[in-house]
Amino acid sequence: MSSLSPSESVLVKELFVSSKTPVQERVNMLAVFDFDHTIVDGNSDIVARNLITPSILIPNSKNYPHNWTQYMQQVFNVIKSIKIPAQKIIDAVSLMSPTEGMLKLIRALYKNDVDIIVASDSNSLFIQNWLKYNKLSGAVSCIYTNPAKIEDDLIIIEPYTLQRACTMCNMNMCKGTIVKEHLSRKNKKYENIFYFGDGKNDLCPVLKLSQMDVAFPRLGYILDNLLKSRTTLAKVKPWRTGDDIYEYLVSLELISANNV
């Protein structure tokens, strides 16, 4: 497998530059997906880290309690030092299994003209290449994640941003802000927002959803447990598989079963 060329890359960050506010474009629905433990059934960073042998060489994450992105850079540094090519890391992540039913769900959403974005604390190389390998690149309109590139056969990762305003989210990323800024940049009006996630950093955007929206926490994961003691205006629908979500959306006639 080969990594993406620049012309194939899905947008990671977009700058909205305009001296005038354009006329608002109406799009019915927005689907926001986390990547790890949501689209893929596992953690892409852990897949990369597990390539390190012997395990004694694996950096201690406790040394980076508030900066996972910096920790992953140390992981990539070690991987290079033991002569594992960067492409092998990308290949290992690209071969990660999707969560059951997730490919069908994303394709159905796309065919029903739902705008699909990814907001993830993984990195652009991992997400772009996984989507490409699974033939989903065209279904996702934007990816908001930590930018990464390969230089001298080393993966270099940078934080998506640096923020301290939101204490619910990590220093490098507030997903609530990402969703809000996506709506502003795209200047689109959505009747419904669907949010799919599993982790603590998915709580902030879910709490900002409206009564017209639906939060889909993965059953038994951190977000699902947090929402048992938190209140959001959105309807909360836990899920085990992408098929659960697909059948729910079809039952409410939010998407058509014919467009799969």
Side-chain angles (χ1 to χ4, degrees), residues 29-31 108-116 139 194 254-255:
M29 294 175 284
L30 171 68
L109 291 170
Y110 176 67
K111 290 181 179 179
N112 278 271
D113 297 321
V114 178
D115 193 6
I116 302 171
F194 309 134
L254 292 169
I255 62 173

Side-chain angles (χ1 to χ4, degrees), residues 32-36 38 117-122 127 144-146 160-161 163 166 168-170 172-182 195-209 223:
V32 185
F33 283 88
D34 180 34
F35 184 66
D36 293 321
T38 299
I117 67 173
V118 174
S120 166
D121 203 12
S122 181
I127 299 172
Y144 298 97
T145 188
N146 303 299
Y160 175 80
T161 190
Q163 68 88 28
C166 179
M168 285 188 289
C169 294
N170 300 332
N172 65 303
M173 177 176 294
C174 172
K175 292 188 178 183
T177 299
I178 284 174
V179 174
K180 179 180 177 181
E181 292 183 348
H182 177 82
Y195 192 97
F196 309 94
D198 71 284
K200 181 181 177 182
N201 64 351
D202 296 306
L203 179 63
C204 173
V206 165
L207 295 181
K208 291 179 168 64
L209 295 176
L223 179 61

